[in-house]
Amino acid sequence: MGERFIACDPVFMVTGQRVADLARDCLALSVEETVTGLRTLTAHFLAVAPRRQANHDVVEYLDGRTLSFGSELSVSLGPPGDERVVFGGTVSALEVSFEEGDTPHVTVFAEDALMALRMTRRSRTYRQVSDADVARRIAADHGLTADTDAAGPAYPLVHQVNESDLAFLRARARLLGAEIWATGRTLHLATRDRRPGPRLELVQGRDLLAAVVRADLAHQRSEVRVSGYDARARGAIDAEADGRAVTAEVPGGRTGPDVLLKAVGQRVDQRIRMVPLAETEGRAWARARMQARARRFVTATGTTAGTPELTVGSRLTLTGVGAPFDGDGYYTTRVRHTFQRGAQGLRSHFEAERATVNAGGDR
């Protein structure tokens, strides 16, 4: 089977206007996102245009006419007429490179709306809030709309201590097993089961050009316990979550905790530094930690011949990857779309995870 590729050029929009010169001069492009939020773009452009005006700088794209710091930039990939927007954000860095015997090129770096959160560091106390309330407060601080869908406890006090808004919100989301991301000017916070994403089937030898799938017990645990002290009740907190925390969200197969018990025996993860102050906090945190471990029992990395619709949160069915691993239930946690002129064209690289192996896959 010959190697497949999509050679169509990316479509660049600057401040809402299509810029054909950027597509013509694009040498390479990379757009990446993960479950922790902040989508980034790196694009390399040929820096000598074919028709320069008199008295024009020898290096294109550094005069601020097309691109500049703070420019709104979006990129679409895919076949003409079926392009998908894979990035929308703000230019944050410009770079020029020179090498003997080669044409100079300009590199543009951009980040999505979460860049503002990354660049804001503060200390602050929130009172009588849930983590969704915190997300809404931070979004409002940066002129963003908040879309939250994550159940969790309310806290009398939450402290942000010399942290960026992005790092702080990532930490709060992690306690709930939630994820953050941005679309346009909207900040999203949602647990995995409530995050929207397309459903895609990827077939080894057809859509999948390369794939590695692994089931690994190294980080699996049969139970997670979180300890703390409830000052109001004057009693110890000893919250726990077991394999049932993930069993309820999988359609079938054997989970990591189940396989661990059969192959190795009981293994408990005792968390002593999380320090919940109420039983409800401890239970929520233990459940989120147990789910995070169990969901990564099976991990998959792969490369496709260009799948612009692939995003973090996509639900994947992998076919032709072996009896223990075939089927649905894969959740995409990292995506990197790349374009390289004159070589591979468009490629999509992903990481995904699943909580189960198929029946018989642990024997």
Side-chain angles (χ1 to χ4, degrees):
M1 178 178 176
E3 189 176 76
R4 301 173 59 210
F5 65 95
I6 296 176
C8 50
D9 292 344
V11 176
F12 292 89
M13 304 282 286
V14 180
T15 319
Q17 299 296 315
R18 183 169 179 170
V19 182
D21 287 355
L22 291 176
R24 177 199 64 200
D25 293 336
C26 182
L27 300 172
L29 171 74
S30 176
V31 174
E32 184 169 2
E33 64 170 327
T34 72
V35 290
T36 61
L38 190 64
R39 190 177 303 190
T40 60
L41 172 143
T42 304
H44 305 276
F45 299 99
L46 187 69
V48 178
R51 294 184 296 275
R52 291 197 307 274
Q53 300 177 359
N55 301 320
H56 198 284
D57 190 351
V58 68
V59 180
E60 294 289 323
Y61 304 122
L62 293 180
D63 58 4
R65 298 182 184 184
T66 303
L67 291 169
S68 186
F69 296 108
S71 294
E72 295 180 7
L73 177 65
S74 67
V75 179
S76 300
L77 295 173
D82 194 28
E83 301 95 344
R84 301 295 181 97
V85 176
V86 297
F87 178 81
T90 302
V91 173
S92 58
L94 298 169
E95 175 183 280
V96 62
S97 300
F98 301 91
E99 187 171 343
E100 184 178 8
D102 197 4
T103 302
H105 68 267
V106 166
T107 302
V108 175
F109 302 87
E111 302 177 5
D112 69 12
L114 296 185
M115 179 176 71
L117 280 65
R118 179 181 64 79
M119 299 175 72
T120 303
R121 181 179 293 272
R122 71 177 99 213
S123 295
R124 182 162 62 182
T125 297
Y126 302 82
R127 301 177 185 276
Q128 299 298 328
V129 292
S130 66
D131 290 303
D133 294 330
V134 171
R136 287 190 284 267
R137 172 74 178 275
I138 291 175
D141 289 343
H142 296 281
L144 304 176
T145 300
D147 180 9
T148 62
D149 195 359
Y155 309 94
L157 293 173
V158 175
H159 299 290
Q160 179 180 355
V161 182
N162 193 30
E163 292 178 283
S164 73
D165 284 349
L166 181 58
F168 176 64
L169 194 53
R170 283 171 169 170
R172 301 309 307 177
R174 190 162 51 246
L175 288 173
L176 297 180
E179 299 167 2
I180 61 172
W181 72 100
T183 56
R185 301 294 298 171
T186 299
L187 168 67
H188 301 269
L189 169 74
T191 49
R192 178 170 296 189
D193 59 315
R194 300 177 183 182
R195 179 171 184 168
R199 295 186 177 276
L200 304 171
E201 181 182 13
L202 301 177
V203 181
Q204 194 279 324
R206 187 188 71 187
D207 311 285
L208 279 174
L209 302 180
V212 176
V213 189
R214 171 189 291 186
D216 192 343
L217 291 175
H219 299 288
Q220 293 301 298
R221 298 293 183 269
S222 50
E223 188 176 296
V224 172
R225 295 175 182 169
V226 175
S227 301
Y229 184 78
D230 190 328
R232 291 186 176 180
R234 297 185 179 182
I237 296 171
D238 189 13
E240 61 184 45
D242 58 21
R244 290 173 293 183
V246 73
T247 301
E249 63 182 25
V250 298
R254 299 207 64 194
T255 67
D258 288 341
V259 176
L260 180 73
L261 280 170
K262 179 181 178 180
V264 180
Q266 184 88 353
R267 294 294 185 272
V268 177
D269 180 14
Q270 182 73 49
R271 313 296 294 182
I272 61 175
R273 294 188 177 183
M274 300 179 77
V275 195
L277 301 179
E279 186 72 27
T280 54
E281 295 176 20
R283 288 197 300 268
W285 296 356
R287 179 181 177 84
R289 183 64 182 175
M290 186 66 189
Q291 288 177 331
R293 283 188 176 277
R295 287 166 174 168
R296 287 192 58 77
F297 177 39
V298 178
T299 57
T301 61
T303 300
T304 78
T307 312
E309 61 269 35
L310 184 65
T311 65
V312 169
S314 295
R315 275 68 172 180
L316 302 182
T317 297
L318 301 184
T319 302
V321 294
F325 307 121
D326 264 357
D328 61 3
Y330 288 92
Y331 184 90
T332 308
T333 58
R334 179 186 295 267
V335 173
R336 181 167 60 93
H337 298 292
T338 61
F339 171 82
Q340 188 172 359
R341 185 174 300 283
Q344 296 180 339
L346 177 61
R347 290 286 187 266
S348 297
H349 314 269
F350 68 90
E351 296 178 9
E353 57 190 38
R354 188 173 80 167
T356 61
V357 291
N358 297 330
D362 61 315
R363 295 196 292 269

